[in-house]
Amino acid sequence: GQDLTHELAFVEWAPDGRSILFGTPEGKVRIYDNTGNPINEMQVHCLDEMQKNMNSPLAALHWHDNDNAYNDRTATPALCVAYNCGMLQLMRHENDDDPIIVNSDLNIMGARWNPGGTILAVCGTAFLEREIPCVKFYTPHGQHMRTLTIPPPANAKGNAPNTVTAISWDGDGLRAALAVGASIYFANVKPDYKWGYFSNTLVYAFEKDKKEHCVVFWDTVTDEKYTKYVKGLLGIQASGDYCVLAVRAEEADDQYILILCNSIGSPVDSKYINIEPTFLTMSKTHVIACSTESIYVWTYRTQSTKLTTFESQGKRKISREMAFHINEIPGANSGYNKDTYQKPTDPVRDPICCVTVCDHGIFIVGRVSGIVHRYTIPRIELETKMKLRCRPQMLALNLDATKFLIIDINGILSLYDMELKSGSSALQGAHTDFEKKDVWDIKWSQDN
């Protein structure tokens, strides 16, 4: 029943009920306790001084329950503060002094977490050649997952708003309802499932609770299942006789573990790294993990079919790890040691957005600009660069590394043929005219 000295545009309770956030029309967020007493004003990190002076209005204020891990630096961001100018900050709690900053390039009208807190949907208008209503989907750590553009309603009038004005998720997080003018659109959302197939075994994971995954190894021949529980699971890849689990280490910040497992889930080998495995791929001999700016390559097995860490006839273990920055040319000095490797301090202007490898001794790395780097393994060399006409979200090489498929950020599948002649002498191959819409995943057959 208290009277406030400022107008309100948004009100949001903390999930634990200990505090409440008041958003004002001029873009400020004030923090109060649960009895209505003011505590402080939230620090806005996503706006520059010019945007702050222009009183950029708030577009959304949404807080998902992340078990209130206030003292955990590795906790998943759950508080979204979005501004009409397109900037967002994703916070672990209301006093987070190191939020994740996202530039959505939208005129934002709203933002909502899905029920599980694993996807943030940001709706509004994109300004390209014309105003386009769209929704962008992000992970809690600010990674852009997909863009959904909305066709104009058939019954749209001349003065009807050409933007997505509101969004709501269903209880399972598999569908979203979008408001565009006087029309309602329904969109199906496919989660990014963690799974892989190797040695007649399907390995897949599901969340047991918000901090732990249950990983199941299902032998599709004998129908036997083996399970293990993993905290901080980030990804799964599989190839040949093994799979790899990428896990966030519990004992230290900015530490990650790559765990090599056999078909019954028993760990065979592991590597600690300080490069976040945001993008992960695997062949029969190599594991490749990429952050947005660095590439890590682990030769876990040689062509002689022995694991490189196995001791043989009294010989010492062989360590085969390489790491380098995406803007560097890898060389003999690219050997990796997590205790001495220096991660870049400045964000890269053209970050990594996908990676894939094949058993032909080639892996390729995609960047947000559409540039694709082609490298050789086990001797890592940058062979060439290729230019796509889109921003890739997923890549897949065929068996002999002559072609690769692309799913872009809009869900359009296309093909790049590295044997075709390009219009530029500096680039190899050509992006073909083949396209297919609404594609979620891709897999080459073993004879292509």
Side-chain angles (χ1 to χ4, degrees):
Q2 293 191 16
D3 291 330
L4 302 177
T5 59
H6 43 266
E7 296 184 12
L8 297 182
F10 293 92
V11 176
E12 185 76 5
W13 277 103
D16 63 356
R18 295 191 302 179
S19 59
I20 187 170
L21 307 181
F22 295 141
T24 66
E26 63 270 18
K28 295 182 178 180
V29 180
R30 304 180 188 273
I31 306 170
Y32 284 67
D33 65 18
N34 56 9
T35 61
N37 297 313
I39 301 176
N40 56 21
E41 184 176 313
M42 180 183 293
Q43 294 295 315
V44 178
H45 299 267
C46 62
L47 301 181
D48 58 29
E49 289 302 320
M50 181 179 296
Q51 291 169 325
K52 290 179 182 178
N53 294 334
M54 293 175 62
N55 293 330
S56 184
L58 273 172
L61 190 62
H62 192 209
W63 204 340
H64 184 269
D65 185 4
N66 68 340
D67 291 340
N68 306 304
Y70 287 91
N71 299 319
D72 186 359
R73 299 290 296 178
T74 64
T76 301
L79 171 57
C80 171
V81 182
Y83 288 85
N84 191 250
C85 63
M87 300 302 298
L88 306 96
Q89 64 182 39
L90 307 179
M91 310 173 69
R92 297 162 185 83
H93 49 80
E94 71 273 30
N95 295 312
D96 189 356
D97 59 0
D98 187 25
I100 294 170
I101 308 301
V102 177
N103 183 359
S104 69
D105 291 321
L106 293 178
N107 180 18
I108 298 178
M109 300 300 293
R112 299 291 294 180
W113 293 102
N114 71 341
T118 57
I119 301 174
L120 176 68
V122 181
C123 64
T125 306
F127 296 95
L128 299 174
E129 296 178 355
R130 57 186 176 86
E131 294 185 0
I132 301 176
C134 71
V135 181
K136 291 189 176 182
F137 298 91
Y138 295 89
T139 68
H141 296 281
Q143 180 187 342
H144 187 186
M145 303 170 67
R146 184 64 64 93
T147 298
L148 175 65
T149 57
I150 313 298
N155 58 349
K157 298 180 180 179
N159 59 351
N162 192 28
T163 184
V164 183
T165 53
I167 184 169
S168 179
W169 293 87
D170 76 348
D172 295 324
L174 299 178
R175 291 195 304 168
L178 316 174
V180 183
S183 301
I184 297 292
Y185 289 81
F186 295 93
N188 293 321
V189 179
K190 179 182 177 299
D192 185 16
Y193 296 106
K194 297 177 175 66
W195 70 280
Y197 185 81
F198 67 105
S199 190
N200 296 322
T201 300
L202 176 66
V203 55
Y204 60 93
F206 60 90
E207 280 190 293
K208 186 174 180 289
D209 54 44
K210 293 184 179 179
K211 292 186 177 180
E212 190 175 52
H213 279 80
C214 178
V215 183
V216 180
F217 294 79
W218 173 32
D219 189 318
T220 57
V221 177
T222 64
D223 202 29
E224 293 180 315
K225 292 181 180 179
Y226 306 88
T227 60
K228 63 186 306 177
Y229 295 94
V230 179
K231 290 184 178 180
L233 181 67
L234 300 175
I236 295 176
Q237 288 291 325
S239 182
D241 298 326
Y242 302 96
C243 73
V244 64
L245 310 181
V247 178
R248 187 185 300 274
E250 294 184 75
E251 58 271 17
D253 291 347
D254 297 325
Q255 294 290 320
Y256 308 90
I257 316 172
L258 300 178
I259 306 172
L260 195 69
C261 297
N262 61 17
S263 60
I264 62 172
S266 298
V268 174
D269 194 7
S270 63
K271 293 292 182 184
Y272 279 78
I273 61 175
N274 62 350
I275 297 172
E276 183 173 1
T278 306
F279 310 101
L280 187 67
T281 188
M282 182 182 188
S283 70
K284 293 179 181 178
T285 55
H286 292 80
V287 171
I288 301 168
C290 299
S291 65
T292 54
E293 69 280 325
S294 298
I295 301 170
Y296 167 84
V297 181
W298 171 23
T299 307
Y300 71 90
R301 186 176 185 176
T302 64
Q303 295 295 342
S304 61
T305 73
K306 292 181 180 179
L307 294 176
T308 58
T309 52
F310 280 4
E311 293 184 349
S312 175
Q313 297 178 353
K315 295 181 180 180
R316 64 180 183 178
K317 294 183 179 181
I318 303 171
S319 177
R320 300 192 179 183
E321 298 175 85
M322 301 280 282
F324 55 95
H325 191 275
I326 184 64
N327 291 332
E328 296 176 349
I329 302 297
N333 60 347
S334 299
Y336 176 77
N337 184 317
K338 76 176 181 65
D339 297 322
T340 59
Y341 180 76
Q342 297 294 322
K343 295 193 297 182
T345 55
D346 297 327
V348 64
R349 292 186 177 181
D350 187 11
I352 296 170
C353 58
C354 49
V355 62
T356 188
V357 65
C358 71
D359 292 320
H360 200 67
I362 297 293
F363 74 93
I364 57 176
V365 178
R367 306 180 73 171
V368 167
S369 65
I371 295 293
V372 176
H373 295 214
R374 173 177 165 133
Y375 298 93
T376 60
I377 45 177
R379 181 176 179 178
I380 302 177
E381 293 181 350
L382 176 60
E383 275 197 338
T384 187
K385 295 181 182 180
M386 297 158 281
K387 175 64 177 175
L388 306 179
R389 60 173 178 266
C390 60
R391 173 186 167 172
Q393 184 198 27
M394 183 182 297
L395 301 173
L397 275 164
N398 70 337
L399 189 63
D400 60 1
T402 58
K403 302 178 180 66
F404 63 91
L405 291 167
I406 309 109
I407 298 179
D408 71 12
I409 203 70
N410 297 307
I412 298 176
L413 174 69
S414 57
L415 175 69
Y416 195 100
D417 191 332
M418 289 181 278
E419 294 183 326
L420 292 178
K421 291 185 178 180
S422 173
S424 170
S425 59
L427 301 174
Q428 176 182 340
H431 203 160
T432 68
D433 295 331
F434 167 78
E435 283 190 354
K436 187 175 179 60
K437 296 182 179 180
D438 298 326
V439 179
W440 290 95
D441 207 344
I442 41 178
K443 186 74 174 179
W444 285 94
S445 67
Q446 292 301 310
D447 56 356
N448 277 314

